[in-house]
Amino acid sequence: MTNEQRQFTAQGQTFPVILVRKKVKNINLHVHSDGTLYISAPARVPWEYIEDFLQKKTDFIVRAMDEMAERKRKFPMLTLSDGDTLYLAGQPYKLDVRLGLQNSIRRSGQTVFMELADDTLVMKQKLYHKLLQSLGKKLFPASLSRMQPLFDGLALPDPVLKQRVMRSRWGSCMPLKGIVTMNTYLAIMPEEIIDHVMLHELCHFLQPNHSRHFYDAMTIRMPDWKARRQAMTKYLPYCV
Ligand SMILES: [Zn+2]
């Protein structure tokens, strides 16, 4: 198995290409989140042929790159370094990171204290998620009870509320199973922003898709939901 480094240019953009020669039947393309195109191809296929293959996939490649850029914009990364500003329920906190005897996280005053016996990003991430999860356990049910009355008389199911760290969406709803899942990262946002995500998910019990009827159902209940969605950018970055 050998690796070749190449470049591919399409629609005015140049992408690095890592070409791996191995025992495969076809040319396979994988668009990596760092903007690299990974290709596996049989040993004897010439580069010109692969370039031709990529040319035919240009639309797909450009679309995949755009989607990744959009995801990065919506979910920018936090490094969890000492002195960083973290948001919890809409309030700013200073992050204080120290080495210590144990791995722990706690909030006191306007500071989040993180003690690390194991100074790795994985451990920092684990502690940060733990803090957000414990906040979410209070914030999400509270939001549900604020939003449910907006559906009075519609026999909406009383949903099972879950939370999970997600990297591509704020919430999800499984109307048939009656499950609403909130992104744990929402615990950084103030109540009014969490509410608009909760309302969005609950509206899926009325409309499973994102049709005009869906957005009408949102707007009737929360005329300013778009402004709330826009305000989310104020709390970036927050994702590790
Ligand atoms: Zn939706």
Side-chain angles (χ1 to χ4, degrees):
M1 208 169 82
T2 52
N3 275 7
E4 291 169 40
Q5 291 192 9
R6 300 270 186 171
Q7 279 193 336
F8 173 69
T9 303
Q11 299 184 7
Q13 281 176 276
T14 300
F15 306 104
V17 176
I18 304 277
L19 173 58
V20 183
R21 301 288 189 174
K22 52 180 171 181
K23 281 186 181 159
V24 285
K25 280 217 175 87
N26 305 303
I27 302 174
N28 303 295
L29 167 66
H30 172 72
V31 181
H32 195 263
S33 58
D34 66 3
T36 306
L37 305 176
Y38 281 84
I39 294 166
S40 57
R44 257 168 281 168
V45 176
W47 169 247
E48 290 68 30
Y49 188 89
I50 295 167
E51 221 173 7
D52 205 48
F53 165 87
L54 288 176
Q55 210 68 52
K56 283 179 197 144
K57 298 269 179 193
T58 297
D59 282 349
F60 164 78
I61 293 167
V62 171
R63 203 168 54 239
M65 293 294 177
D66 284 351
E67 275 168 19
M68 268 181 282
E70 171 70 6
R71 201 153 56 222
K72 272 190 188 161
R73 196 182 61 74
K74 274 164 77 181
F75 293 82
M77 301 293 270
L78 188 71
T79 58
L80 293 175
S81 307
D82 185 49
D84 276 0
T85 299
L86 296 184
Y87 285 93
L88 299 175
Q91 294 301 312
Y93 290 81
K94 268 276 166 283
L95 178 62
D96 183 306
V97 182
R98 294 168 193 207
L99 298 181
L101 296 173
Q102 52 177 0
N103 298 305
S104 69
I105 192 163
R106 72 191 164 83
R107 181 162 59 136
S108 177
Q110 296 306 107
T111 308
V112 169
F113 292 97
M114 192 184 268
E115 185 182 332
L116 296 171
D118 177 12
D119 185 17
T120 60
L121 184 61
V122 174
M123 180 50 73
K124 289 179 176 180
Q125 183 175 7
K126 210 171 144 185
L127 294 172
Y128 177 53
H129 288 171
K130 196 176 132 192
L131 180 65
L132 294 180
Q133 267 153 11
S134 70
L135 266 167
K137 264 185 204 159
K138 291 175 206 138
L139 292 169
F140 304 149
S143 174
L144 179 62
S145 34
R146 280 192 300 274
M147 293 301 102
Q148 269 177 325
L150 302 180
F151 296 87
D152 267 355
L154 283 170
L156 217 64
D158 194 15
V160 175
L161 196 52
K162 297 186 176 182
Q163 63 159 309
R164 204 169 68 226
V165 169
M166 294 188 272
R167 285 189 170 77
S168 58
R169 51 193 180 162
W170 287 115
S172 73
C173 178
M174 293 199 271
L176 296 176
K177 289 187 177 167
I179 299 172
V180 166
T181 307
M182 301 293 273
N183 188 338
T184 299
Y185 284 123
L186 280 167
I188 64 152
M189 309 266 177
E191 286 180 348
E192 61 272 19
I193 291 183
I194 297 172
D195 284 353
H196 104 279
V197 175
M198 184 64 75
L199 181 69
H200 179 115
E201 302 313 333
L202 294 179
C203 281
H204 278 313
F205 285 113
L206 307 176
Q207 296 284 335
N209 46 35
H210 293 130
S211 61
R212 218 195 67 215
H213 296 300
F214 172 86
Y215 289 109
D216 286 348
M218 283 280 295
T219 306
I220 292 166
R221 293 174 174 81
M222 187 182 280
D224 67 343
W225 68 266
K226 275 186 190 163
R228 298 189 197 208
R229 191 178 63 182
Q230 293 233 299
M232 293 178 110
T233 56
K234 242 182 84 182
Y235 302 92
L236 307 179
Y238 56 82
C239 177
V240 280

